Amino acid sequence: MASGLCIAVVGATGAAGQTTLRILEERKFPVRELRTFASERSVGKSVTFRGEPVAIRRLEPAAFRGVDIAFFSAGSAQARKYAPMIVKAGATVIDKSNAFRMDPDVPLVVPEINAHAARGHHGILACPNCTTIVTVMPLKPLHDAGRLTRVIATSFQAVSGAGVNGIAELREQTLAWARGEPLVPRHFPHQIAFNLVPAIDTFGPDGYTGEEMKLVNETRKILELPGLRVAPTTVRVPVFTSHSIAVTAETEVKITAAHARDLFERFPGLTLWDDPARQRYPMPVAVEGQDDCFVGRIREDLSSPNGLSFWVVGDQLRKGAATNAVQIAELLLRS
Ligand code: A2P
């Protein structure tokens, strides 16, 4: 019998699903058989894997018989509807949506940070929100060195976070602007080209958005710090790929800028780009296409004795989504 696993990718036509296929290829994940799924309207179309076309199938229980791992990036409603059925068919689901992240029975995993959490899964493992992943990567070594007490985080989130429709909208509005035509919002609540939209997801009664509360709650769960104080602001920006986050972290024990540089440099999955004299710091266009999260602009907080400010950028479709999901699958393989 051929070696390797039977892998399903649900949402294979979408931005995260397409990136998952690329990353499975790049990391030479042992795929013996690939089954791809999307919405009803895509059934019969195909996607490409290892240079070969793979037909999109209909989402139904029989199609998951024999599947070992299913990568799910088709949204929360679909995950709630289909993931339990896929688990029942015998597969382990790695879900990219918000559906199960805060379920106490579902591990929420960033492999460099809490690989141990994956061990206790009951068939579903969740991948955190893309902004949360990029933010927690540098927070973990700071916490290990000085115990985090407070985090202030402001995100600058690319349109890729809103999937293929978000990417298409920025492109269309930019072309319309160049032609002198009106910019019509279809997917985002306001014009996204040449604008910033400080509202991702719906507003709660306290004035925070769903995206902001994901950053608060998921950071606490991943770092196992239920009482961590987090002040979030999340903003959609006219960038195609890669999320950037301006973070100020306070710790019980002071961490100097030099110490933080050293900690970041040694943490797996982080790359330090912090050379202001040479104008070297992470930016979305420089980070796009890479798996690490990039940290720079590291400086001690002028307003708080134990505060440290920095800037972190990660490719939302890779470490913020597909790479993290494939890393979780690699953890499962190793165990
Ligand atoms: P489709 O291309 O057929 O719409 P993105 O996040 O980039 O917008 O991608 C969302 C992914 O989820 C796409 O692959 C999309 O397929 C898929 N999808 C959307 N709705 C459903 C559904 N009801 N069932 C299965 N897949 C879905």
Side-chain angles (χ1 to χ4, degrees):
M1 201 166 103
S3 66
L5 303 183
C6 180
I7 297 296
V9 175
V10 183
T13 51
Q18 283 285 299
T19 310
T20 302
L21 294 175
R22 295 296 78 76
I23 287 171
L24 288 169
E25 289 176 348
E26 284 174 23
R27 294 174 80 99
K28 301 193 171 27
F29 194 85
V31 181
R32 183 189 77 242
E33 182 188 344
L34 177 72
R35 300 183 194 170
T36 54
F37 301 84
S39 78
E40 198 65 33
R41 61 188 161 267
S42 295
V43 173
K45 292 183 187 164
S46 65
V47 292
T48 305
F49 183 66
R50 294 178 182 158
E52 301 288 333
V54 181
I56 299 287
R57 301 180 181 214
R58 182 163 287 111
L59 261 177
E60 55 197 358
F64 288 87
R65 245 177 257 135
V67 169
D68 297 298
I69 296 175
F71 293 97
F72 205 105
S73 50
S76 295
Q78 278 66 258
R80 280 195 195 92
K81 187 167 167 195
Y82 295 108
M85 172 273 273
I86 298 172
V87 173
K88 220 168 168 186
T92 300
V93 172
I94 300 174
D95 180 36
K96 203 34 224 118
S97 82
N98 186 41
F100 306 104
R101 288 182 189 144
M102 295 313 295
D103 182 330
D105 281 338
V106 174
L108 183 64
V109 183
V110 180
E112 294 88 342
I113 298 177
N114 64 341
H116 62 274
R119 283 200 291 272
H121 79 86
H122 303 290
I124 301 177
L125 298 105
C127 230
N129 167 271
C130 38
T131 298
T132 306
I133 295 179
V134 180
T135 306
V136 289
M137 285 289 287
L139 288 179
K140 172 65 174 166
L142 294 182
H143 177 63
D144 288 346
R147 293 187 300 280
L148 282 174
T149 54
R150 185 174 182 223
V151 175
I152 304 163
T154 304
S155 71
F156 303 72
Q157 299 184 214
V159 292
S160 59
V164 289
N165 293 330
I167 297 168
E169 182 137 318
L170 176 58
R171 186 174 290 121
E172 280 157 20
Q173 287 186 0
T174 306
L175 291 172
W177 176 84
R179 290 192 296 258
E181 294 167 3
L183 310 192
V184 185
R186 291 195 176 84
H187 192 69
F188 295 114
H190 299 281
Q191 171 187 327
I192 186 62
F194 315 103
N195 195 19
L196 306 175
V197 182
I200 305 177
D201 208 342
T202 51
F203 284 95
D206 52 7
Y208 286 91
T209 62
E211 186 80 353
E212 287 162 350
M213 293 319 295
K214 286 176 200 168
L215 182 56
V216 174
N217 295 324
E218 295 177 21
T219 298
R220 289 172 171 169
K221 181 169 175 177
I222 297 160
L223 295 176
E224 298 170 4
L225 291 172
L228 182 66
R229 291 179 293 144
V230 183
T233 306
T234 57
V235 182
R236 184 76 69 199
V237 301
V239 164
F240 279 108
T241 319
S242 296
H243 289 358
S244 309
I245 302 101
V247 184
T248 296
E250 292 182 9
T251 44
E252 253 172 68
V253 179
K254 180 177 174 66
I255 297 177
T256 63
H259 188 194
R261 280 189 199 101
D262 185 48
L263 293 169
F264 293 150
E265 205 151 33
R266 286 189 286 120
F267 194 71
L270 284 182
T271 296
L272 185 70
W273 276 359
D274 195 26
D275 191 354
R278 291 202 175 87
Q279 298 293 327
R280 188 152 170 81
Y281 29 70
M283 290 181 293
V285 289
V287 163
E288 186 174 339
Q290 307 197 61
D291 283 318
D292 272 9
C293 295
F294 291 74
V295 203
R297 298 291 329 277
I298 297 156
R299 59 222 190 270
E300 286 158 39
D301 182 355
L302 296 174
S303 67
S304 159
N306 287 8
L308 184 90
S309 296
F310 58 88
W311 171 252
V312 57
V313 184
D315 185 320
Q316 177 276 322
L317 292 173
R318 295 181 72 97
K319 184 58 185 166
T323 301
N324 198 71
V326 174
Q327 285 176 312
I328 294 174
E330 289 169 348
L331 279 181
L332 297 178
L333 269 188
R334 284 202 291 275
S335 63

